[in-house]
Structures are given as C-alpha cells and as structure tokens.
Amino acid sequence: MSEINLEQPGPGHTPGVVPDETSIEQRETQGLSQGQIVRKRFFRHRAAVVSMIVLAFVVLLAFTSVGLALPGIRIPGWWQWNWTETPELVDNGRPTLNLVPGPGFGIGVHPFGQDQVGHDIFAVVMRGAQQSLMIMVIVGVVGTVIGVLFGALAGFYRGWVDTVLMRFTDVIITIPYIVVGAVVGRAVGGLGAALLGIFLGLFSWMGLARLVRGEFLSLREREFVDAARVSGASDRRIIFKHILPNSVGVIIVAATLLMASAILAETALSFLGYGVRFPDTSLGLIISENQAAFATRPWLFWWPGLFIIIIALCVNFIGDGLRDAFDPRQKKMPSPKALARAAAKKASKAFSKPATS
Amino acid sequence: MASFITRRLIAAFFVLLAATFVMYMLTWAAVDPLRDLREGNAPNKAQLIEARSNLLDLDVPVFFRYFLWLAGVGKCFIGQCDFGTSIQGLPITTLLSQAIGSTIQLVTVAQILAIILGIIVGITTALRQYSGYDYVVTFFSFLFFSLPIFWVAVLLKQFVAIGFNDWLGSPEIAIPVIIGLTVLSGFFWFSVVGGSPKRRWASFAVGAAAAAALLFYFNAVDWFSTPFIGPVGVVLTAVAAAFGVTAVSVGLKDRKALIAALVTAGLGIVAYFPMYYFLSAYMTLPIFVGLAVLTVVVGAVIGFLLGGKDKAASARTSAIVAFVVGGVVALDCHLYWWSAYVGSSRVGGRPIATVGSQTPNLGGNFWIQGIDTFTHLLLPTIAIILISFASLTRYTRASMLEVMNQDYIRTARSKGLTQRTVVVRHALRNAMIPITTIIALDIGALIGGAVITEFVFGWSGMGQLFQKGLNSQDPGPVMAFFVVTGLLAVVFNLVADLLYAALDPRIRVS
C-alpha cells in the first residue's frame, strides 16, 4: 500500500485539486464525513449502482403502469389494460413484444402475451410485482424495527433483559421461516398482501436482533458512551442518539439482505398457495397457476420468473455494495493495470494542459 | 467442557419446548379440523363431528391440549413415541417414519455435493481474486442466490429432463455445443491455473483440446446410447487420481506417498476385473457398503505402511485415492446396466424422471435400482445444489481471503514454503473453521427448506407430510414435521457451537 502511495502524488500535493484516479481510502486526510465516504464507496461498486437504477425502473414501471388499488380508491395507470380485464385473444395470446428491428418492431397490444382467458400478462405481472415489492418492504420495515429494538435493549441492558430477549429469539429462530410462513399465511393470506407482509415480518427479525445486540455489546463499552453518561444523558438518549447511529451500517446491510430473502419467501409461499390468494395476484401465484401450461404458453411462466429474479438480484447486489461501503476494512487498491492507465492519463493531461496550478 | 455441554443441553431442551408451544398455538389457530365435516352434508354429521372431536381431544381447551400432546411426544424418551393421530385416524408415527427416510435420501446427496463443490470453487476464487473467473463465479452465485427454486424446478423439468430424454433418441452432440464446451473448459483451466501468461494460455490449449477430444470420442463411439468407462478409462482415472490427490495433499516431492497412492490405484485396477465380470452379479446393499468401507481401509493401510515421514498424511492420501478408484469402478458397473434400464418397459427410453422417488414395479438387480434412484434424484439434487452452492461459495471465499491476508501466511511464504503448503496446510485449515459451523447450521435447516423442493418434484417426504397436513386442516402431521425440524435445528446449533470450540483453541468455553 505504501509503495503505491509513494508513486502517487499524495493528497494536499496541489491544494484544492483532487487527483481523480486515487481511491477514496488514499484521500482519508481530506476530511470527508462518514456519509460522504460511504456514498462514494457505494457509487464505486458498479454492480450495486446498476442494480439500484434497474430496481428504481422496475418500481416505477410496476406502480405507474397499472396504477394502484387502495381500499376504496382506484388510481388508474398509463397502461391500457388492468389485471382484471379480459380483452379478446390476439394471435392466440402470443407476446407481441418484438425488439428485432424491422417489420413488427414495437411493444404491440400485449407485449408479454395473454393467458387462455385473455388477461394481459404485462398488467398481471406488474400487479404481481407491486404486491411482491410491497410485501418485501413491509417485511423489511417490520423485521428491522423489531430486530433493532430487541437487539438494542438486550445489548444495552444486558443481565436479565438480555437473557429473556435472547432466549425468546432462540425459540423463534428454531421455527423454519418457510414453516411459520406457511402456517401464518394459511391463516391470514386471504386478508390481503399488506397484512401478510406484517405477519411475515413478525417472524423475520431474529438474525438482525442478534447482530444489533453484538454491536451494542461492543459499542456500550466505548469512551464516547461513558462521556455521554457522565454528562447526564438518559438511557434513551444514549441508545438512540449515540449508539444507534454508530451501528447503522450493520443494520442497513442486514435489512437489505432480509428484504432479498423476504421476496423469495413470499413468492415461494404464494406458489405453495399460502401467500397472496386469488382474485389478487403475486409473482409466485402467477407461476403456480400457469406451471402446467409451460409447453403451450411458456410466456406465462418466463415473465413473472424474470421479474422475481431481477428484483431479488438487484436487492442482493445493493446489499453487497452497502456492505463494502460500510466495512472500514475494505480497502480496494487499484490493480497495477489501473494504476498504469491512470498514470498514462495524467501524463497526457499534464502534457496538453501544462499550466493548471 | 462437560458442564458447558450440560448447560447448553438444558437450555436447548427448554428452547425446543417453548418453540413447540408457539407452533402448537399457531397451528391450531391456522387450521380447523372440523371444517370439512361442518361444511359437508353427510346424514350422520353430528356423529362424525363427535367422533373426530373425541379423536383429537377437541373438548379440551387448546392450552391444555398442548400438554396432552406433549405427554405423548415425551414418551419418545421411553421408546414409545405417540404423535397423536391424523384426522383419518392413522397414527402419525407411522406416517413420519415413512417420510423421514425419503427426505434424508433426497437431501443428503445434494448437500454433500453442494459442500464439496462450494468449497472447491470458493477456494479457487479466493486464490484468483479479481480474475475473470472470480467475477464470473461471483455473478453466478448472486444469480443462483436470487433464484426461486420452484421456477428453477420447472425449467429443469422442461430442459434437462424432457430435453435430454428427447435428445437420447438420437444422441449426437452438435458441433456448436462441442465448440462452446471446448471454449468453456479452456477458460476454466486458463483461470484456475496461475502463473505467467504463457503458462496460462498453454493450460487453455490443453484444457480445450482435452474437452474437444473427449466430446468427439463420445460421438464416435455413440457413448450416450451405451455408456461405459472400460478398463482403459479406469486405468487412466486411477493414475490421474493418484497423481492429482498426492499433488494437492502432500506434494509430488514426497515420493513415498506418491508410490503408496500409485500402489493403491494399481490394486484398484486389479480388483476391477473380478468385480466387473464376476462379483457384480451378486451385489446387494450390505455387500456394497462393506466393500466401500474395505476399499477405504485398505487404501489407508497401504498409505500408512508405505508412507515416509508423515504416515498419517500418506494414509489419508491413499484412502482418498482408494475411494475415488472404487467410485469409478462402481460407476462402470452401473453403466453396464444403463441400456438395460433405459430399454425396460417401465422406463421406455426416457430415463430422467420429473416426479416421484422411484419407478413403480421396476424390479431388476442392485445396479438397476441404483440407476433408478439416480435418475429420480438428479433434478431435485441439481435444484438444491444450485441454491446452497451459492452461499457456500461466498462464505468459503470470504473466509479464505480473510485468512490469506493474515501475517502468519506472509511468514510462511517468507520462510520459502511452496504455494501448496501455504494454501493447504496453513490457510485452508483455519479458513475451514467458520465454514464447518456454517455447514452444521445449514444441515439443521435443511429439512425445513426441502418443503418446496419436495412439492415441485412430487417427492413423498417430510415436506409433503407437512403440506398435506396443512391443506387438509390436519394439525397432527404439521406438528410432527415441526418436532423433527426443530429438533434438528436445535441439535445442529449445539453441534456448531461445540465444533467451533473444538476447532478453534482461541475460543474458551466457560
């Protein structure tokens, strides 16, 4: 590492000018805030940034295309069909999406095709993606809130609070998620996606609670907590203002990965028939309803699966990027090739514009 | 240590007790065992409801009913398990014992393969960090990690089973496929072998040429209609295994270990002929298992007797070689019966099965039954491997990278030890400590995770017991399933803790 620093002009060599090819770690002396460092490190993770853009696009597409159905209100979207309409079958329901330049290029009437009754699969998949995304977020929020609360209390107070909360965590973690999900889904699945999400969230906080407890156990021994305590801060203030912001990295990463597993769990439960039920739909349910038709209408099967994978993959990559961004031990040094390229670039710049400083 | 284990056992017991209570309440809140009777219109409705209420103790409040159920389960300690009865009146213990064997068969093979593959790929990606190979594997492990297993299952059925069975009608590998596989094999060897660009391109050429030659050979002898390994194949793989295993475990410089491995391989080759032409007709499962154990023991003894300074390492090497050679011989015996299996009237030329765990009324000898198990296990095994392989690779890679950056590895390097010694002897052992505990936890969660796999592949095991119970509003099987999975989870949690303490002397249990 030091070798590379010797070859590179150090920060502060030319005041005010940041050499753009050095890594963020080499610019530690610049006085960036924690948030700025994390943001810069995150944006360096190419897969995570691409995933974030793709996920934003999917969310936008899912929620604007077919609109929303809130209790009592129906906000229409820009797409011509919705997921309950059954227009006439066009070309036996084959997808009209054609991305090959030439005659027939364009998205057509039913880009993802139709099922045997005539439902527009684009609208159905968009509705399914809405439901799956919504459940994913609800599970993430509920699981994170409970996990942080339990972990924080157990790690901060230790003693009998810790024992009670952690033994309770042990009990719930013994029950496999898919099992409790199936039993709970069987009971409340018919009551709508939001409620299903809340109930699934009630059983998905255990890993997070353990992580947060570990963080709290180590952070509560640090000097800044002692300093806060002797200056008269209440327990609540120490927990929420002093320790919690310092463990936010662990929490965000764990919450992201929790959401990634939540979407797979929800689709699996809906597939088994314990999740979202007819007449509403979800990505897992579409696959389950149409799996027998694979030979005749494969598009009923490809599109919902593709959307599950896109969403889960994006969330996983974002989680990976966040983990790299928050991990202080991650110091990615540029490869020899990249360093040579950067040096060459700098040399050519210096040659063309000799008088910048 | 003893007091630590006792305390953990007592804690685990109470955790399991509380978990069964939570599950019992949840299950009874979710199902209504009388619903089908109440909604039906049988003439003797009242009597039926009365009978089922008596059967399931419905007149007792659910809180006390839990203790009745618990008393039955508690009898397991004196060898008389009683999980209650299903709504049809069948004792659940019988249903459970049938289901358990089937599920264990399904998950064991898949898990072992996933562990071996995951660890090997994880180590190689860690050693070639930031290479093209590393990026490709990283991307695919993320992809597999995000795959819904039920979706993969349908694809596997369509393309692997139906597609392969169709292709078997006239099995000839197409030229584009050969080109693709050739390049893939070349790329793999190019990435895994390190060193100068010249050496890497040479390995690319060798790997690609070997793959192309093999594929053209398969086409030439119509291998997929009448697959075989044959004496030549057995000799080649045995010698390759002797050299390969020795090179990785103790290094080729240890001549005595190499000679021991080669002698073991030679003995395996000699044993092949009586085995293939004579003994294979009398094979049964106990003999098969006995021979497998004998093979490994003989290998270990040869290694121990012929080994040099480090007798234990030499014995280990020869035992692994013996296992590999034995496996190849057993595979060839299976392949001998392959065309008989494919041609049999029950199979009808479509060997890869999409549902179920065996072909009904197939008959045949030990080898044919073995092939039948294999063809039924293939698809679910691939599905399970894809999913667990991803996380295992990631964990192994991370753990290996962490260890490879430690100071003692640098010390080992600066002493002048070879790359093999540093990686296998110094790094791998410590990198495996966290992996062992993760594997133990994985196994604990395995049966619970098999619910979906069993459902899509029509496998009548534990998962189906659970699912059918839940669908037919029958709480008994659901609870029985949960007792088994919960018990496994608690036990393997304990095993993981103990393993960690045993493997890592820095952890003090107190």
Side-chain angles (χ1 to χ4, degrees):
Chain A
M1 201 189 293
S2 58
E3 220 176 32
I4 294 160
N5 271 334
L6 284 179
E7 285 169 9
Q8 298 279 325
H13 179 74
T14 44
V17 179
V18 181
D20 55 345
E21 51 283 320
T22 46
S23 70
I24 297 146
E25 288 78 15
Q26 286 169 293
R27 284 184 275 153
E28 263 163 4
T29 48
Q30 242 187 1
L32 297 174
S33 75
Q34 175 74 16
Q36 281 169 316
I37 293 176
V38 167
R39 202 174 322 127
K40 288 193 180 200
R41 282 157 152 260
F42 180 78
F43 283 120
R44 195 180 56 188
H45 198 293
R46 227 171 291 152
V49 174
V50 172
S51 300
M52 209 163 69
I53 296 168
V54 172
L55 187 65
F57 177 72
V58 169
V59 171
L60 213 64
L61 191 70
F63 281 94
T64 60
S65 59
V66 290
L68 280 174
L70 301 169
I73 323 161
R74 177 82 182 79
I75 306 168
W78 48 262
W79 184 243
Q80 48 188 328
W81 318 107
N82 70 34
W83 63 93
T84 47
E85 282 170 326
T86 48
E88 241 172 80
L89 277 175
V90 178
D91 187 20
N92 203 18
R94 232 165 245 116
T96 52
L97 183 70
N98 185 358
L99 295 179
V100 184
F105 176 77
I107 60 168
V109 208
H110 300 292
F112 290 2
Q114 289 169 287
D115 64 9
Q116 55 271 45
V117 196
H119 288 115
D120 179 53
I121 291 302
F122 176 76
V124 175
V125 168
M126 287 304 117
R127 174 64 178 170
Q130 273 184 18
Q131 299 281 52
S132 297
L133 283 166
M134 192 166 74
I135 292 179
M136 173 180 101
V137 172
I138 293 177
V139 171
V141 170
V142 174
T144 308
V145 169
I146 302 180
V148 167
L149 206 65
F150 276 31
L153 291 177
F156 186 78
Y157 288 109
R158 301 191 296 187
W160 66 267
V161 179
D162 184 25
T163 313
V164 169
L165 287 178
M166 282 303 116
R167 287 298 86 75
F168 182 61
T169 311
D170 285 347
V171 169
I172 305 295
I173 215 169
T174 309
I175 310 174
Y177 191 56
I178 198 89
V179 173
V180 73
V183 173
V184 167
R186 168 100 207 163
V188 303
L191 303 178
L195 212 62
L196 180 71
I198 292 175
F199 272 93
L200 288 180
L202 289 181
F203 290 95
S204 59
W205 48 268
M206 292 81 71
L208 214 137
R210 284 184 170 178
L211 280 176
V212 173
R213 171 177 173 268
E215 279 291 295
F216 266 68
L217 277 179
S218 78
L219 285 173
R220 78 188 291 283
E221 306 296 335
R222 297 271 286 272
E223 287 83 355
F224 69 89
V225 177
D226 290 340
R229 193 170 289 129
V230 291
S231 56
S234 65
D235 283 356
R236 209 174 104 193
R237 188 174 170 82
I238 294 177
I239 291 178
F240 287 106
K241 288 272 171 178
H242 293 273
I243 304 185
L244 199 58
N246 277 295
S247 45
V248 75
V250 171
I251 295 172
I252 289 183
V253 172
T256 319
L257 298 178
L258 174 67
M259 289 210 248
S261 63
I263 188 157
L264 288 182
E266 181 275 322
T267 47
L269 287 177
S270 298
F271 176 80
L272 290 177
Y274 304 128
V276 177
R277 312 255 171 90
F278 185 81
D280 214 327
T281 189
S282 113
L283 293 176
L285 192 62
I286 306 173
I287 295 180
S288 141
E289 278 171 353
N290 298 310
Q291 57 171 335
F294 188 84
T296 48
R297 294 166 192 267
W299 55 88
L300 294 178
F301 177 82
W302 284 113
W303 293 109
L306 194 68
F307 271 81
I308 298 177
I309 294 175
I310 289 176
I311 296 171
L313 195 60
C314 285
V315 178
N316 269 325
F317 269 125
I318 293 174
D320 194 50
L322 285 172
R323 185 181 3 226
D324 282 3
F326 278 110
D327 187 355
R329 288 178 308 170
Q330 282 269 340
K331 300 214 172 200
K332 187 183 174 190
M333 296 313 293
S335 68
K337 234 190 240 169
L339 276 180
R341 211 181 303 133
K345 198 169 142 198
K346 182 178 283 172
S348 73
K349 232 187 221 167
F351 185 71
S352 58
K353 277 194 282 176
T356 37
S357 53
Chain B
M1 192 72 179
S3 86
F4 169 76
I5 296 176
T6 335
R7 253 186 307 123
R8 285 302 312 262
L9 271 177
I10 294 170
F13 174 76
F14 282 106
V15 162
L16 193 60
L17 209 61
T20 50
F21 180 76
V22 172
M23 264 312 279
Y24 199 83
M25 294 300 150
L26 274 177
T27 311
W28 277 94
V31 302
D32 174 10
L34 292 181
R35 188 201 269 175
D36 58 329
L37 293 181
R38 220 179 296 122
E39 283 172 358
N41 39 12
N44 52 348
K45 200 165 158 182
Q47 281 131 324
L48 284 175
I49 290 182
E50 172 79 33
R52 191 172 287 174
S53 295
N54 282 339
L55 188 68
L56 300 175
D57 296 322
L58 289 187
D59 43 349
V60 184
V62 65
F63 181 81
F64 296 105
R65 207 182 306 144
Y66 167 74
F67 292 99
L68 284 181
W69 173 83
L70 192 66
V73 176
K75 281 191 199 150
C76 286
F77 288 112
I78 54 170
Q80 300 172 316
C81 282
D82 177 17
F83 283 92
T85 52
S86 70
I87 48 175
Q88 275 85 31
L90 291 169
I92 286 165
T93 324
T94 341
L95 298 176
L96 194 64
S97 55
Q98 287 161 357
I100 258 183
S102 166
T103 295
I104 287 178
Q105 190 190 22
L106 173 73
V107 292
T108 322
V109 180
Q111 192 62 18
I112 291 174
L113 284 177
I115 289 171
I116 296 174
L117 269 178
I119 289 178
I120 291 179
V121 172
I123 292 170
T124 47
T125 48
L127 295 178
R128 303 272 171 265
Q129 195 190 8
Y130 300 138
S131 67
Y133 169 67
D134 183 26
Y135 283 123
V136 170
V137 170
T138 303
F139 177 77
F140 275 100
S141 55
F142 269 95
L143 184 66
F144 293 156
F145 204 62
S146 314
L147 285 180
I149 194 167
F150 52 93
W151 193 73
V152 176
V154 181
L155 286 192
L156 283 176
K157 283 184 190 178
Q158 188 66 29
F159 294 109
V160 177
I162 299 175
F164 183 76
N165 286 340
D166 286 345
W167 178 78
L168 270 187
S170 58
E172 175 152 359
I173 312 169
I175 295 294
V177 178
I178 293 185
I179 294 174
L181 288 176
T182 303
V183 173
L184 213 63
S185 154
F187 171 74
F188 176 79
W189 291 109
F190 175 85
S191 316
V192 172
V193 175
S196 62
K198 198 177 151 195
R199 189 172 157 208
R200 301 180 70 190
W201 281 109
S203 15
F204 180 92
V206 172
L214 195 65
L215 293 173
F216 275 114
Y217 173 73
F218 280 170
N219 264 355
V221 298
D222 197 13
W223 196 83
F224 284 96
S225 302
T226 51
F228 63 94
I229 298 174
V232 180
V234 172
V235 170
L236 281 181
T237 41
V239 174
F243 274 96
V245 175
T246 315
V248 173
S249 72
V250 292
L252 289 177
K253 282 215 181 97
D254 188 344
R255 287 293 160 195
K256 288 194 166 164
L258 181 61
I259 290 169
L262 282 172
V263 168
T264 313
L267 207 62
I269 295 165
V270 172
Y272 166 73
F273 295 95
M275 179 71 202
Y276 187 80
Y277 293 104
F278 175 65
L279 262 178
S280 71
Y282 306 103
M283 192 57 74
T284 58
L285 188 62
I287 301 180
F288 186 77
V289 174
L291 279 178
V293 173
L294 185 71
T295 313
V296 174
V297 170
V298 167
V301 169
I302 293 176
F304 190 80
L305 292 180
L306 296 183
K309 272 184 223 148
D310 195 348
K311 285 194 182 294
S314 172
R316 210 159 47 225
T317 309
S318 298
I320 297 174
V321 172
F323 184 77
V324 173
V325 178
V328 172
V329 173
L331 184 63
D332 203 21
C333 290
H334 277 109
L335 290 182
Y336 178 78
W337 294 97
W338 173 259
S339 37
Y341 173 78
V342 174
S344 85
S345 61
R346 287 273 155 199
V347 179
R350 305 190 69 80
I352 308 296
T354 54
V355 288
S357 52
Q358 58 184 353
T359 312
N361 310 323
L362 179 68
N365 60 10
F366 173 79
W367 305 107
I368 287 196
Q369 286 296 330
I371 298 173
D372 191 48
T373 311
F374 165 78
T375 53
H376 282 85
L377 273 177
L378 183 68
L379 294 191
T381 303
I382 295 176
I384 295 177
I385 286 179
L386 283 187
I387 311 290
S388 20
F389 165 81
S391 61
L392 270 171
T393 317
R394 296 306 292 167
Y395 280 129
T396 313
R397 178 175 178 274
S399 167
M400 194 70 185
L401 280 178
E402 173 118 25
V403 171
M404 289 299 279
N405 286 329
Q406 303 265 319
D407 286 342
Y408 75 87
I409 296 293
R410 197 178 332 179
T411 312
R413 285 241 168 83
S414 58
K415 283 197 297 192
L417 296 182
T418 57
Q419 170 79 352
R420 187 198 63 76
T421 318
V422 173
V423 171
V424 177
R425 289 239 156 149
H426 290 68
L428 185 60
R429 294 190 170 198
N430 283 323
M432 279 303 109
I433 295 173
I435 304 300
T436 327
T437 60
I438 286 170
I439 289 174
L441 292 179
D442 255 13
I443 294 175
L446 207 57
I447 291 187
V451 174
I452 305 167
T453 322
E454 286 187 8
F455 175 70
V456 276
F457 290 108
W459 199 272
S460 55
M462 297 286 295
Q464 210 169 57
L465 189 72
F466 168 75
Q467 236 229 327
K468 273 192 181 155
L470 204 53
N471 286 346
S472 59
Q473 312 269 2
D474 188 355
V478 177
M479 282 312 294
F481 172 83
F482 174 69
V483 169
V484 174
T485 52
L487 193 66
L488 272 180
V490 167
V491 166
F492 277 94
N493 235 316
L494 194 65
V495 169
D497 279 1
L498 294 179
L499 268 179
Y500 209 100
L503 291 177
D504 192 345
R506 286 169 302 183
I507 309 286
R508 290 271 166 270
V509 288
S510 54

